[in-house]
Short mmCIF file of all heavy atoms in Angstrom, two decimals:
data_model
loop_
_atom_site.label_atom_id
_atom_site.label_comp_id
_atom_site.label_asym_id
_atom_site.label_seq_id
_atom_site.Cartn_x
_atom_site.Cartn_y
_atom_site.Cartn_z
N GLU A 1 -8.28 3.63 1.49
CA GLU A 1 -8.62 3.18 0.13
C GLU A 1 -7.53 3.60 -0.86
O GLU A 1 -7.13 2.82 -1.74
CB GLU A 1 -9.96 3.78 -0.25
CG GLU A 1 -10.42 3.49 -1.66
CD GLU A 1 -11.69 4.24 -2.02
OE1 GLU A 1 -12.48 4.55 -1.10
OE2 GLU A 1 -11.90 4.52 -3.21
N ALA A 2 -7.05 4.83 -0.74
CA ALA A 2 -6.01 5.32 -1.65
C ALA A 2 -4.70 4.58 -1.44
O ALA A 2 -4.00 4.24 -2.40
CB ALA A 2 -5.81 6.82 -1.45
N LEU A 3 -4.35 4.32 -0.16
CA LEU A 3 -3.12 3.58 0.13
C LEU A 3 -3.18 2.18 -0.45
O LEU A 3 -2.21 1.70 -1.07
CB LEU A 3 -2.90 3.53 1.64
CG LEU A 3 -1.69 2.73 2.13
CD1 LEU A 3 -0.40 3.29 1.54
CD2 LEU A 3 -1.63 2.73 3.66
N ALA A 4 -4.33 1.51 -0.29
CA ALA A 4 -4.48 0.18 -0.85
C ALA A 4 -4.42 0.20 -2.37
O ALA A 4 -3.87 -0.71 -3.00
CB ALA A 4 -5.80 -0.44 -0.38
N ALA A 5 -4.97 1.24 -2.99
CA ALA A 5 -4.97 1.33 -4.45
C ALA A 5 -3.55 1.43 -5.00
O ALA A 5 -3.24 0.84 -6.04
CB ALA A 5 -5.79 2.54 -4.88
N LEU A 6 -2.68 2.15 -4.32
CA LEU A 6 -1.31 2.34 -4.81
C LEU A 6 -0.38 1.21 -4.38
O LEU A 6 0.55 0.85 -5.13
CB LEU A 6 -0.74 3.67 -4.33
CG LEU A 6 -0.91 4.86 -5.29
CD1 LEU A 6 -2.38 5.24 -5.40
CD2 LEU A 6 -0.08 6.06 -4.82
N SER A 7 -0.60 0.64 -3.17
CA SER A 7 0.37 -0.34 -2.65
C SER A 7 -0.13 -1.77 -2.74
O SER A 7 0.57 -2.70 -2.33
CB SER A 7 0.69 -0.02 -1.19
OG SER A 7 -0.46 -0.17 -0.36
N GLY A 8 -1.34 -2.00 -3.24
CA GLY A 8 -1.84 -3.35 -3.45
C GLY A 8 -2.78 -3.84 -2.38
O GLY A 8 -3.72 -4.58 -2.66
N SER A 9 -2.55 -3.46 -1.13
CA SER A 9 -3.42 -3.85 -0.02
C SER A 9 -3.13 -2.94 1.16
O SER A 9 -2.11 -2.24 1.19
CB SER A 9 -3.21 -5.32 0.37
OG SER A 9 -1.89 -5.51 0.86
N LEU A 10 -4.01 -2.98 2.13
CA LEU A 10 -3.83 -2.15 3.31
C LEU A 10 -2.86 -2.83 4.27
O LEU A 10 -3.12 -3.95 4.71
CB LEU A 10 -5.19 -1.93 3.99
CG LEU A 10 -5.34 -0.68 4.87
CD1 LEU A 10 -5.12 0.58 4.07
CD2 LEU A 10 -6.72 -0.66 5.51
N PRO A 11 -1.74 -2.18 4.60
CA PRO A 11 -0.79 -2.82 5.52
C PRO A 11 -1.30 -2.83 6.95
O PRO A 11 -2.31 -2.21 7.28
CB PRO A 11 0.46 -1.94 5.38
CG PRO A 11 -0.06 -0.60 5.00
CD PRO A 11 -1.29 -0.86 4.17
N GLN A 12 -0.58 -3.53 7.82
CA GLN A 12 -0.93 -3.54 9.24
C GLN A 12 -0.85 -2.13 9.80
O GLN A 12 0.07 -1.37 9.49
CB GLN A 12 0.02 -4.47 10.00
CG GLN A 12 -0.31 -4.63 11.47
CD GLN A 12 0.63 -5.61 12.16
OE1 GLN A 12 1.29 -6.42 11.51
NE2 GLN A 12 0.67 -5.55 13.49
N ALA A 13 -1.81 -1.79 10.65
CA ALA A 13 -1.86 -0.44 11.19
C ALA A 13 -0.64 -0.11 12.02
O ALA A 13 -0.14 -0.94 12.79
CB ALA A 13 -3.12 -0.26 12.05
N ARG A 14 -0.13 1.10 11.80
CA ARG A 14 0.98 1.66 12.58
C ARG A 14 2.24 0.79 12.54
O ARG A 14 3.00 0.73 13.50
CB ARG A 14 0.54 1.92 14.04
CG ARG A 14 -0.50 3.03 14.14
CD ARG A 14 -0.99 3.28 15.55
NE ARG A 14 -1.82 4.49 15.56
CZ ARG A 14 -3.09 4.52 15.18
NH1 ARG A 14 -3.68 3.40 14.77
NH2 ARG A 14 -3.77 5.65 15.18
N ARG A 15 2.45 0.15 11.42
CA ARG A 15 3.67 -0.64 11.22
C ARG A 15 4.20 -0.37 9.83
O ARG A 15 3.48 -0.55 8.83
CB ARG A 15 3.40 -2.12 11.41
CG ARG A 15 4.66 -2.96 11.31
CD ARG A 15 4.42 -4.37 11.79
NE ARG A 15 5.64 -5.17 11.75
CZ ARG A 15 5.73 -6.42 12.21
NH1 ARG A 15 4.64 -7.00 12.72
NH2 ARG A 15 6.86 -7.07 12.13
N ALA A 16 5.44 0.09 9.75
CA ALA A 16 6.02 0.46 8.46
C ALA A 16 6.21 -0.78 7.59
O ALA A 16 6.66 -1.82 8.06
CB ALA A 16 7.35 1.17 8.66
N SER A 17 5.85 -0.63 6.32
CA SER A 17 6.01 -1.72 5.36
C SER A 17 6.62 -1.17 4.08
O SER A 17 6.32 -0.04 3.67
CB SER A 17 4.65 -2.36 5.04
OG SER A 17 4.00 -2.80 6.20
N VAL A 18 7.46 -1.97 3.44
CA VAL A 18 8.03 -1.58 2.15
C VAL A 18 7.16 -2.18 1.05
O VAL A 18 6.94 -3.40 1.02
CB VAL A 18 9.48 -2.06 2.01
CG1 VAL A 18 10.02 -1.73 0.62
CG2 VAL A 18 10.35 -1.44 3.09
N ARG A 19 6.65 -1.31 0.21
CA ARG A 19 5.72 -1.76 -0.84
C ARG A 19 6.07 -1.09 -2.17
O ARG A 19 6.53 0.06 -2.20
CB ARG A 19 4.29 -1.35 -0.48
CG ARG A 19 3.72 -1.98 0.79
CD ARG A 19 3.31 -3.42 0.53
NE ARG A 19 2.66 -4.00 1.70
CZ ARG A 19 1.35 -3.96 1.92
NH1 ARG A 19 0.54 -3.33 1.08
NH2 ARG A 19 0.84 -4.55 2.99
N PRO A 20 5.81 -1.78 -3.29
CA PRO A 20 5.85 -1.11 -4.59
C PRO A 20 4.60 -0.25 -4.76
O PRO A 20 3.50 -0.67 -4.41
CB PRO A 20 5.88 -2.26 -5.59
CG PRO A 20 5.20 -3.39 -4.87
CD PRO A 20 5.52 -3.22 -3.42
N LEU A 21 4.77 0.93 -5.27
CA LEU A 21 3.64 1.82 -5.54
C LEU A 21 3.35 1.80 -7.04
O LEU A 21 4.26 1.99 -7.86
CB LEU A 21 3.93 3.25 -5.08
CG LEU A 21 4.26 3.45 -3.60
CD1 LEU A 21 4.48 4.94 -3.31
CD2 LEU A 21 3.15 2.90 -2.71
N ARG A 22 2.08 1.59 -7.40
CA ARG A 22 1.70 1.51 -8.81
C ARG A 22 0.53 2.43 -9.08
O ARG A 22 -0.31 2.67 -8.21
CB ARG A 22 1.33 0.07 -9.18
CG ARG A 22 2.48 -0.91 -8.96
CD ARG A 22 2.10 -2.33 -9.39
NE ARG A 22 3.17 -3.27 -9.11
CZ ARG A 22 4.21 -3.50 -9.92
NH1 ARG A 22 4.27 -2.86 -11.09
NH2 ARG A 22 5.14 -4.36 -9.59
N ASP A 23 0.47 2.95 -10.31
CA ASP A 23 -0.65 3.82 -10.67
C ASP A 23 -1.86 2.99 -11.10
O ASP A 23 -1.84 1.75 -11.01
CB ASP A 23 -0.23 4.81 -11.76
CG ASP A 23 0.16 4.13 -13.07
OD1 ASP A 23 -0.18 2.93 -13.25
OD2 ASP A 23 0.79 4.80 -13.91
N GLY A 24 -2.89 3.64 -11.57
CA GLY A 24 -4.12 2.94 -11.93
C GLY A 24 -3.96 1.96 -13.07
O GLY A 24 -4.76 1.04 -13.22
N ASP A 25 -2.93 2.13 -13.90
CA ASP A 25 -2.67 1.21 -15.01
C ASP A 25 -1.72 0.09 -14.63
O ASP A 25 -1.36 -0.73 -15.48
CB ASP A 25 -2.10 1.98 -16.20
CG ASP A 25 -3.08 3.01 -16.75
OD1 ASP A 25 -4.30 2.73 -16.69
OD2 ASP A 25 -2.63 4.08 -17.20
N GLY A 26 -1.25 0.09 -13.38
CA GLY A 26 -0.34 -0.96 -12.92
C GLY A 26 1.13 -0.63 -13.12
O GLY A 26 1.99 -1.46 -12.80
#
């Protein structure tokens, strides 16, 4: 839940993904 909150969605399990990280205000 925390990973999805910061990165936008839950990535595929056990596979590295490059994502923008955002706080609660976007």
Side-chain angles (χ1 to χ4, degrees):
E1 176 186 333
L3 177 58
L6 267 68
S7 65
S9 63
L10 204 60
Q12 184 177 342
R14 293 178 171 80
R15 184 168 182 175
S17 304
V18 176
R19 297 283 185 90
L21 301 182
R22 300 182 183 275
D23 63 16
D25 297 327

